[in-house]
């Protein structure tokens, strides 16, 4: 397994966490681990650290493994959860597995931990890939259906943007159509999620034109390749970084539409 694994360890004994991490590194795994022992810290690391796997002791003074499992299943159900405990009787083990734990390893047999983690992460990746394939197939069918039933191009385009944004959990989608005579991209349509406070951002989009290679949209249009930006508010290539910052928008994806010719550019943001 070549990738670096981000691991959250729910463990109150620092030396036990160090032993587990040492065993993983001894087995050749690249790991970056963060140890927590309180619920608030656990919740924070799930959101900020975004672990590939969670290791948890069963019983601790300030927190307990079953509570950690419940929280993990609510927030990050796709992340493998493995109990690493000094004592875990058969009844508790069965209860843990029934409640969604991936596996368990006893602290006196840590040699089992590396292969258990590798198997769990590999199986989680395979499940995620299958879900993604199913998601994209469903999106393709939705797009085709919208094209077939739309009364006009504008209605069809908005429906398609909505389908894409809702599938990807984006808050807004914008489409810039190529004005071939003027040689620029011009704002054409937009869709935003109900309740999203980004009308100002969309309104400012209406007056923006992109020449080939200028701004993210112009660069995607010119290259015919998708562009990804981690933070729209900090990228100098983004023409609306200021207004995006005002609206609290992040993680945009801008992709060129291509076929026999490039007809425009579609951007999605959250």
């Amino acid at each position: 397994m070549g990738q670096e694994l981000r691991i959250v360890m729910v463990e109150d004994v620092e030396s036990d966490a160090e032993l587990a991490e040492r065993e993983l590194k001894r087995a050749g795994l690249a790991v970056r681990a963060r140890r927590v022992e309180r619920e608030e810290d656990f919740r924070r690391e799930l959101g900020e650290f975004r672990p590939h796997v969670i290791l948890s002791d069963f019983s601790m003074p300030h927190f307990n493994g079953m509570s950690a499992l419940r929280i993990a299943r609510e927030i990050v159900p796709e992340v493998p959860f493995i109990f690493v405990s000094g004592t875990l009787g058969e009844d508790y083990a069965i209860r843990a597995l029934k409640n969604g734990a991936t596996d368990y390893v006893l602290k006196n047999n840590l040699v089992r931990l590396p292969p258990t983690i590798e198997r769990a992460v590999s199986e989680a990746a395979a499940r995620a890939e299958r879900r993604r394939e199913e998601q994209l197939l469903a999106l393709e069918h939705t797009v085709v259906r919208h094209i077939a039933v739309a009364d006009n191009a504008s209605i069809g385009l908005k429906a398609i943007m909505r389908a894409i944004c809702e599938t990807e959990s984006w808050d807004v989608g914008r489409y810039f159509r190529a004005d071939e005579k003027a040689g620029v991209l011009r704002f054409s349509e937009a869709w935003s999620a109900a309740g999203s406070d980004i009308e100002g951002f969309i309104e400012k989009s209406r007056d923006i034109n992109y020449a080939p290679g200028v701004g993210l949209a112009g660069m995607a249009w010119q290259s015919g390749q998708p562009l990804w930006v981690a933070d729209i508010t900090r990228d100098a290539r983004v023409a609306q970084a200021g207004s995006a910052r005002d609206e609290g928008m992040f993680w945009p994806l801008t992709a060129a539409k291509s076929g026999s010719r490039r007809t425009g550019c579609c951007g999605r943001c959250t």
Side-chain angles (χ1 to χ4, degrees), residues 6-8 46 50-55 69 72-73 75-82 100-102 120-121 124 127 131:
R6 296 186 300 274
I7 301 176
V8 166
L46 291 184
R50 303 181 69 186
H52 295 103
V53 64
I54 299 165
L55 305 181
L69 175 61
R73 295 284 71 83
I75 299 176
V76 286
E78 72 285 354
V79 176
F81 189 106
I82 299 170
T102 307
V121 171
R127 288 193 298 270
R131 285 196 302 270

Side-chain angles (χ1 to χ4, degrees), residues 119-209:
R119 182 176 63 253
V121 171
S122 177
E123 290 175 352
R127 288 193 298 270
E129 185 176 353
R130 287 195 300 271
R131 285 196 302 270
R132 182 60 174 167
E133 290 174 352
E134 294 169 356
Q135 185 182 49
L136 292 177
L137 182 60
L139 176 58
E140 182 180 342
H141 290 162
T142 299
V143 168
V144 171
R145 186 176 70 254
H146 284 314
I147 292 174
V149 303
D151 292 332
N152 55 57
S154 176
I155 292 174
L157 182 56
K158 282 187 176 180
I160 290 170
M161 282 195 293
R162 175 176 181 171
I164 294 172
C165 290
E166 289 181 341
T167 297
E168 301 296 334
S169 298
W170 298 110
D171 293 322
V172 60
R174 301 176 300 160
Y175 179 69
F176 291 84
R177 187 182 302 278
D179 182 338
E180 296 182 351
K181 183 179 292 186
V184 297
L185 290 173
R186 299 189 189 279
F187 177 87
S188 178
E189 296 289 350
W191 175 88
S192 60
S196 57
D197 188 21
I198 50 181
E199 288 303 317
F201 180 81
I202 293 175
E203 283 304 313
K204 291 176 183 178
S205 299
R206 299 181 187 278
D207 299 324
I208 295 178
N209 299 327

Side-chain angles (χ1 to χ4, degrees), residues 7-120:
I7 301 176
V8 166
M9 295 185 177
V10 186
E11 173 61 72
D12 64 311
V13 181
E14 185 174 4
S15 59
D16 283 358
E18 290 173 350
L19 283 173
E21 186 173 355
R22 191 178 308 148
E23 183 63 34
L24 297 176
K25 291 179 177 178
R26 190 187 68 79
L29 297 181
V31 301
R32 183 153 50 104
R34 293 187 181 178
R35 184 180 68 88
V36 300
E37 52 183 294
R38 296 180 182 274
E39 179 179 339
E40 57 268 30
D41 298 325
F42 180 57
R43 289 181 178 274
R44 184 191 66 248
E45 296 298 352
L46 291 184
E48 296 180 0
F49 191 50
R50 303 181 69 186
H52 295 103
V53 64
I54 299 165
L55 305 181
S56 177
D57 199 351
F58 199 81
S59 179
M60 294 165 286
H62 306 294
F63 198 23
N64 69 77
M66 291 303 293
S67 293
L69 175 61
R70 175 183 54 78
I71 292 167
R73 295 284 71 83
E74 290 175 358
I75 299 176
V76 286
E78 72 285 354
V79 176
F81 189 106
I82 299 170
F83 277 108
V84 181
S85 182
T87 56
L88 190 66
E90 184 178 354
D91 291 342
Y92 283 114
I94 292 173
R95 177 186 165 202
L97 294 174
K98 283 185 175 180
N99 280 273
T102 307
D103 209 333
Y104 66 92
V105 174
L106 296 179
K107 289 184 177 180
N108 62 7
N109 192 21
L110 286 178
V111 69
R112 283 194 60 240
L113 188 57
T116 298
I117 287 178
E118 286 186 296
R119 182 176 63 253

Side-chain angles (χ1 to χ4, degrees), residues 199-235:
E199 288 303 317
F201 180 81
I202 293 175
E203 283 304 313
K204 291 176 183 178
S205 299
R206 299 181 187 278
D207 299 324
I208 295 178
N209 299 327
Y210 292 100
V214 178
L216 286 178
M219 293 173 67
W221 182 36
Q222 183 180 60
S223 68
Q225 299 298 318
L227 291 175
W228 173 269
V229 177
D231 188 342
I232 191 173
T233 67
R234 297 179 183 273
D235 197 297

